[in-house]
Amino acid sequence: MIEIPGIQQGGLSEIHSDLPNSTRREEMYFDRKTKPTKLRHGEIVQGTIVETHAENQATVRLPNGTYRAVVHGYLKKGDSLFFKVVESIPSLVLKIYAVYSIINGKKVPFKDIVRILDLPENPFTNEIVKFYGYRRSIIVRDDILLFFRLFDQMDEKELSGTP
């Protein structure tokens, strides 16, 4: 049988007795737990705006840490919404994805929803957001934009009979 240093009788012996104590299993688990996990392209994450900076930049608190990110829209400190990760390297780029219509048991004002979702402010948008907000607890930006496209494709005759 060939002898290999560090392996005795089918098991591993202590390879290096001078390893630092930080390699103990408990500490390794603690270290892994405190390091933020990597955000993946396309991932949907809930976040809160901690602070806004120069145009299109904000500090965002996500479930796995607080980041400075590129975010388009008119967001304010304290806004809570869902983001879609567009890019994570070299800079974190987040796309506005959705918002709650009810927070802490209170309806979010439709004007705030329109602002947070970065939608054009007009009577049509307000009505769609109100309609959607009464039926859904989460309003997805792309759903609202889909309504716009559908109504944009309708002719005047179809629209005249629509309340």
Side-chain angles (χ1 to χ4, degrees), residues 80-160:
S80 182
L81 62 150
F82 293 89
F83 296 101
K84 185 173 188 174
V85 178
V86 175
E87 191 177 312
S88 60
I89 297 173
S91 300
L92 180 60
V93 179
L94 301 172
K95 177 183 173 186
I96 295 169
Y97 182 75
V99 67
Y100 283 113
S101 62
I102 299 173
I103 296 178
N104 297 328
K106 291 182 173 181
K107 283 270 188 198
V108 176
F110 68 88
K111 289 189 178 201
D112 285 343
I113 293 173
V114 169
R115 176 186 55 79
I116 292 169
L117 291 179
D118 195 25
L119 298 169
E121 188 162 340
N122 59 44
F124 184 65
T125 307
N126 295 344
E127 289 303 315
I128 290 176
V129 169
K130 282 182 193 176
F131 174 82
Y132 225 69
Y134 287 121
R135 288 160 181 78
R136 305 253 188 241
S137 61
I138 296 176
I139 300 173
V140 179
R141 183 176 192 269
D142 289 345
D143 290 350
I144 302 296
L145 294 175
L146 180 63
F147 273 112
F148 277 122
R149 286 189 211 109
L150 292 173
F151 275 96
D152 192 41
Q153 294 173 359
M154 294 174 77
D155 356 3
E156 289 297 319
K157 286 188 245 177
E158 293 174 307
L159 287 174
S160 64

Side-chain angles (χ1 to χ4, degrees), residues 19-31:
L19 285 176
N21 290 338
S22 65
T23 57
R24 291 192 318 234
R25 182 169 175 74
E26 305 83 34
E27 290 182 6
M28 287 173 62
Y29 178 75
F30 179 75
D31 287 343

